[in-house]
Structures are given as C-alpha cells and as structure tokens.
Amino acid sequence: MHDLLAVRGLSRSFGGFKALSDVSLSVRSGERLGLIGPNGSGKTTLINCMAGTLAPSQGAVLFDGQDISALPPHRRTRLGIARSFQIPKPFSTMSVLDNLRIPIEYVVHRGGGHGAEIEAQAQALLAKFGLAAKAGVPAGQLSQVELRKLELARAMAARPRLLISDEAMAGLSSSEVDEVLDILDRVSAEGVAVLMIEHIMRAMMRFSQRVVCLEAGRIVAEGAPQDIVRDPRVRKAYLGE
Ligand code: ADP
Ligand code: MG
C-alpha cells in the first residue's frame, strides 16, 4: 500500500499555544486508520490542516505524492480528500436529498450535470447510508444518528479516495454506533481510505487496522489496535492511568 496522504513535520500554534508539534503521519491507500487522543490533543486541528481549513505554522501535507499545502479546501476535495465535521451543520431547512444534491453538483459535476442524474446519484447515496426513507424530510428534523449518517453521506458525495471521519459516533447508543460502523465498513470495502477519529474504544478496535495516538499535539504511540490499547503511553495519555 502506498502513502495516499502524508503530513510531514506539521506544527500549528494558536497564539503562544502549540496545538500540534512536529507531527508526521501517513494514511496508506485503502487503509483504515484510527486516530485517538484525549480532548484537546489536536486531532481536529490535524485534520483541519489535512483538509485545508487551517494552515499549519510549519510542515507540509502531501496527497498522492503531490504537495498540497498551499491548496484551498475545495481543491483538496476535488483531489479526493473528504471530511465530516465533528458537529454536523446541514442546511436544516433543506431536504435531506437537497443536502446531497449540492455537493454532488459542485464537486462531481462542477456546477454542471443533469438534474435527473444528480438526483439519481443522491438517491443512491441515501440508500447506501440507510436514509432513503428520509429523502424528503428537512435535515433539521433528523435524529442524531441520522444527522451523522447524512454528514458522512455528504462527505462521500464528493467520491473521495480518503474519508476523514471526526467523531461521527460520539453520543450515540451502542446499536447506533454499529450502524455507523457498518457504513464505514462499506465505504472501506469500496477501496476508500478512512481516517477515523473516535473515542469509543470498541469501535476503534473493530474498525482500525492501525491506530495513532496523539497527546498534547504530539504522536505518542502508533501500532496495531490490540497493541495500542495495552501501550502504557496510551493508557497514561488516553485512559488516564
Ligand atoms: P481535539 O480534536 O483533539 O479535541 P483540537 O484540535 O480541537 O483537539 O484542539 C487542540 C487544542 O487547540 C485545544 O487546546 C484547543 O483549545 C486549541 N484550539 C483548537 N482550535 C483553536 C482555535 N481556532 N483557536 C485557538 N485555540 C484552538
Ligand atoms: Mg476534535
């Protein structure tokens, strides 16, 4: 597996506070990589730097071998990087279907495309994400788990090669966590690399092939999930031992 996305020596400060210090990390093509770490350890800051919504103070981001550090978010989306937001922000008054039509039209068809074709693609995505029955419902009326699914579907509408999922399972019940995991499994089975940020250890263990742990803006451990949960540095940083 070759490196699909790589960050090299990434640092990011907010004022005098170093949220990320010299982070180097890669996501391989088709890989399922887990990113863990306590609240405030820099996980969202790191993916913001990958997606281009935040500029690093130092370091570079490469995608498919190309330095994309200077590219704005929409250009990175077109190259194949999609991310979900920790707090989903759909267009609440618009239908679930229309919430997907927009990214399909602008990312896949670049503002062109036929209405019927875009609609068919949006319907297919909804079916895949278990939201077909909600197509006509305003997004503001969705339940928490449905909102998370819509957020992931919206990211997948761009047909990415890498999906970055930022705590899509936080606050969900155990069976809802399984529903979201099933969706991520299906995305992965299509060959899309998935970077999953998650606090729920069971989900992390089931999904990830490899796990990276951040603490206070630095990578403190990296390895197979079964080794990571036993790693003393991880237990200290993450589990508070
Ligand atoms: P995580 O996602 O791991 O919980 P974040 O990346 O959101 O952590 O935040 C890492 C640290 O950087 C936190 O201390 C947070 O308060 C700080 N931080 C994040 N974004 C900003 C910002 N825009 N301005 C100032 N500080 C920020
Ligand atoms: Mg976060």
Side-chain angles (χ1 to χ4, degrees):
M1 284 195 289
H2 78 290
D3 284 354
L4 182 61
L5 179 118
V7 300
R8 303 251 171 89
L10 208 75
S11 297
R12 170 69 206 209
S13 300
F14 295 109
F17 174 74
K18 263 202 149 180
L20 291 175
S21 304
D22 195 23
V23 171
S24 293
L25 161 76
S26 54
V27 186
R28 292 165 200 145
S29 189
E31 186 179 26
R32 300 197 301 271
L33 179 65
L35 178 62
I36 62 172
N39 282 328
S41 56
K43 303 180 296 297
T44 299
T45 301
L46 178 58
I47 66 170
N48 283 339
C49 290
M50 292 171 170
T53 43
L54 201 61
S57 317
Q58 269 185 313
V61 182
L62 285 83
F63 191 70
D64 224 5
Q66 178 193 349
D67 191 333
I68 59 165
S69 307
L71 295 185
H74 72 275
R75 295 277 307 280
R76 300 190 198 198
T77 305
R78 282 184 181 162
L79 284 177
I81 302 174
R83 61 88 60 90
S84 72
F85 285 89
Q86 199 166 347
I87 298 162
K89 13 186 175 179
F91 298 105
S92 304
T93 57
M94 256 183 222
S95 72
V96 167
L97 187 73
D98 284 343
N99 267 275
L100 283 190
R101 249 198 263 254
I102 296 165
I104 292 174
E105 186 170 346
Y106 287 96
V107 181
V108 180
H109 299 284
R110 305 202 173 188
H114 296 290
E117 187 188 353
I118 291 166
E119 164 139 7
Q121 287 169 356
Q123 293 280 15
L125 256 179
L126 286 181
K128 193 154 100 188
F129 282 73
L131 290 171
K134 302 287 174 177
V137 172
Q141 289 178 20
L142 294 181
S143 70
Q144 198 56 237
V145 66
E146 288 164 348
L147 271 177
R148 304 292 175 81
K149 289 177 185 176
L150 176 60
E151 179 66 9
L152 290 170
R154 196 196 48 74
M156 287 305 297
R159 299 186 188 167
R161 294 165 67 196
L162 169 66
L163 172 67
I164 304 172
S165 166
D166 195 359
E167 298 200 34
M169 302 168 197
L172 300 183
S173 73
S174 181
S175 63
E176 290 169 340
V177 165
D178 286 335
E179 289 174 35
V180 176
L181 272 174
D182 287 343
I183 285 173
L184 291 180
D185 278 342
R186 266 176 266 151
V187 166
S188 171
E190 289 172 5
V192 176
V194 180
L195 173 55
M196 183 173 90
I197 297 181
E198 207 52 66
H199 279 302
I200 302 165
M201 272 299 166
R202 177 177 71 83
M204 186 55 73
M205 295 288 289
R206 183 185 131 182
F207 185 78
S208 311
Q209 294 167 319
R210 186 164 69 98
V211 176
V212 168
C213 180
L214 271 182
E215 187 199 6
R218 290 180 187 277
I219 293 177
V220 293
E222 186 252 312
Q226 63 272 22
D227 297 331
I228 282 291
V229 286
R230 288 196 214 100
D231 190 304
R233 291 163 299 183
V234 175
R235 300 192 77 90
K236 182 169 171 287
Y238 191 68
L239 307 167
E241 288 179 17

